[in-house]
Amino acid sequence: MKISFNWLKLYLDTEVSIKFICKILTDIGLLVENLKKIKNLNSFQEDYLIELNIPPNRRDVMSHYGIARDLNIALKSRGFKSKIKYFPSVSLFKKEINLKNLKCFIEKNKKCIRYSYTTLSNIKVLDSPNWLKNYLNNIGCISTNNILDIENFILYELGKPIRIYDLDKMKNFSLSLKESPKKFWFNKKFFSSKNDLILFNEKNPICIAGLLVNKNFIVEKLTKNIFIESADYSAEYIYKIAKKYNIKNEFSIRFERGLDPNLNIYALKRAALLIKKLSGGKISSKIVDFYPEKPEKNIDLFIRFNKINNIIGYNLNFIKIKEILILLKIKVLKENFNGLKIKIPLYRKDITREIDVIEEILRIYGYNHFNCKEKIYFSCKKRNFILKKEKMIENMISNQLNSHGFYEILNSSLTEKKYSKYENNNFYEKIFIFNSKNKNFSFLRDNLLFGILEKISSNKNKFFEWGKKYFFYKKNILENKTLGIICAKNNNSFFKFKGIIEQLIIRCGINVENQKIYKNGIYFNYKKNIICNIGYIKKAILEEFEILQNILYADINWDIILLLLKKEEKSFFKKKYHKYNFTIYRRDISLLIEKKISFEEIKKLSFYKENKILKKIHLLDEYNSKNFPFGKKSYTISFFFKNFKNNLTETIIEKTINKLKFIFIKKIKAIIR
């Protein structure tokens, strides 16, 4: 969020410098990301632009006045002279002329908490004065005219969204706020309004829940009469509709976090008086307020002194605690030796528990102001060492994947139900989440594949993710840590991808000699445990994600790898070598064989009983050509021999190679190329 320092000073009277204010803002949880000096275009006055990172739960500071209020509390608690200027008076608001032929019907709906409006007549749409242009331009908001600029000014001053429409285009029509099953064109886009809250006249939509305004009703140069609304909607509903229509603007951000409905009337009066002052119009109606349900009662809490001191780890003065609560506008109803009974103001809906109040006391007092004499020691060294070691192994594997061009990603643990139709699991059941905010994402994932597939694009198509899978098994909830790796490049063959996965597992100190082939891929076994599964993704799944190319996926069971490592007591970073040195020799053989023959069969034939010098073999290349006889393919295989005690000679290697060629010709009828 961007704020103007000159605008902030309209509500905060203090002599503290701008740099110290930025320090205080960061100290109370409003992180200052950037401070920039700017000059106004229409005056010689300088200003500062402050960019803040506002926490999602702090809706009360999404405005200049809200930040001034929080700053004033922090400065006063630290002993600085500071004074907050209260909201400008709106006592001059009164109806001046009568407006006829405007009918408004609003249906009761839980999604609309409060709806208020007023009207102005005989206005003049002009350019905004310099002071208004400067305030808006300094925070990156483009000036339009004196009417729509007031809409933005109220938004950034109070944090309360209001909307202004051309009243003449709405006149002689009934105005209703209701759910409509209609489908309609809206700003050259097609919308289905089923279960959506939309402001309609008799035929046309005016606005979608305060987020999107129909361009046909926007204030223009010839506009003479205006309609001003101030509404408060359900935060959960706004979140859903903003996601549905892919809307993200300053209005949706504030609606999603929840608003203070008590600001509705003041925001309307403030906007009406400013417009009257800048455009010469007259107020043509009183405030019409639709508020079907009374506001929620203030939350009463009891905070304990010993609880505060135990969490802080420091004996904070009782008088200081009470002083901070009063500054936060938290009323103290009763007090005794054990604690205080307090009442939370309505605009602080984020404070609902005792721990929330303690956090506010800590935030205002300052985390850096505690001088704790006692030091805290942790005795669980062995456990910390194990966790640290596991993390080092994960980092090692991640770095190796990065070197092969893979990007690490992180997805949510929730997944959509529609993906379950591609899985045939009779051994376990999915875990359903009750009361999920998004009904589409109401299951814990039992596969990392679908989350990674959503990230596939034309530029980046090699990803990996560390994550957990969740499922029911024999009435127990199980978690399984998994490493999912995906490759969508056409030029990467199956065997090259398989080789990368083998390197990862071997790097962990586990042999992958036991490999079994199935229809779509291959999986690695170690002592009856499936470590990894590699294969091509089914076309039906790829069509779901609109992916045309073939994709390889590897699913590594990381829990089993860690379990095997603990049982075998292998070291990952310090390998114990034999006292004798080993020298590796390599020889390559090209074979023309039948397509039915797999690499695993060749591997088994190569390690015959008498062959004690062969260390490993590797498939270097697989080649198919129209010039080959029907049903034939070519394999180029690398053989690696170990020289133990320097007894290996060229003659021994040549004899072994000739023996291997003889076995291949006899057993699988291979042609040596």
Side-chain angles (χ1 to χ4, degrees), residues 479-618:
E479 295 182 11
N480 175 222
K481 187 161 188 179
T482 306
L483 172 59
I485 309 168
I486 205 165
C487 180
K489 280 193 173 181
N490 290 325
N491 59 353
N492 277 340
S493 67
F494 176 83
F495 293 101
K496 186 174 181 180
F497 183 68
K498 173 177 168 285
I500 293 171
I501 306 304
E502 282 182 348
Q503 288 177 4
L504 299 180
I505 299 172
I506 292 169
R507 186 80 182 272
C508 294
I510 298 174
N511 294 325
V512 288
E513 293 180 1
N514 297 327
Q515 302 178 10
K516 292 188 178 181
I517 301 171
Y518 63 97
K519 186 176 180 181
N520 294 322
I522 190 170
Y523 60 85
F524 301 156
N525 279 1
Y526 183 83
K527 294 184 179 180
K528 298 182 180 180
N529 293 305
I530 298 177
I531 299 174
C532 176
N533 197 339
I534 307 172
Y536 286 100
I537 299 172
K538 295 179 180 178
K539 290 184 178 180
I541 299 174
L542 297 179
E543 288 174 1
E544 176 75 31
F545 293 89
E546 298 181 356
I547 298 173
L548 301 177
Q549 55 190 332
N550 292 327
I551 292 181
L552 288 163
Y553 179 68
D555 187 274
I556 301 176
N557 192 329
W558 195 249
D559 282 342
I560 289 182
I561 286 180
L562 293 177
L563 184 64
L564 292 173
L565 291 171
K566 288 176 184 177
K567 285 184 178 180
E568 297 294 328
E569 296 182 353
K570 294 190 177 184
S571 174
F572 306 97
F573 309 107
K574 295 182 180 179
K575 294 184 178 180
K576 295 182 179 179
Y577 293 97
H578 197 273
K579 62 181 180 179
Y580 299 104
N581 292 327
F582 292 91
T583 305
I584 303 297
Y585 293 89
R586 172 182 164 179
R587 295 292 185 274
D588 296 339
I589 300 177
S590 291
L591 305 172
L592 188 64
I593 56 176
E594 293 183 3
K595 288 185 176 181
K596 296 179 180 179
I597 298 171
S598 67
F599 176 69
E600 293 302 317
E601 292 181 46
I602 297 172
K603 195 172 184 179
K604 287 180 181 179
L605 292 172
S606 301
F607 287 97
Y608 57 89
K609 291 183 180 180
E610 296 82 9
N611 192 357
K612 296 180 180 180
I613 63 170
L614 183 62
K615 185 178 181 182
K616 66 176 181 178
I617 71 170
H618 178 67

Side-chain angles (χ1 to χ4, degrees), residues 214-229:
N214 191 335
K215 293 179 181 179
N216 296 328
F217 295 90
I218 289 177
V219 175
E220 298 174 343
K221 289 183 179 180
L222 300 177
T223 299
K224 292 183 179 180
N225 305 309
I226 58 172
F227 178 94
I228 312 173
E229 73 166 20

Side-chain angles (χ1 to χ4, degrees), residues 5 9 12-18 20-21 75 80-83:
F5 182 58
K9 288 192 294 184
L12 183 68
D13 187 7
T14 183
E15 295 180 357
V16 178
S17 65
I18 178 65
F20 190 77
I21 281 178
L75 289 170
F80 294 96
K81 290 183 179 180
S82 178
K83 185 179 179 181

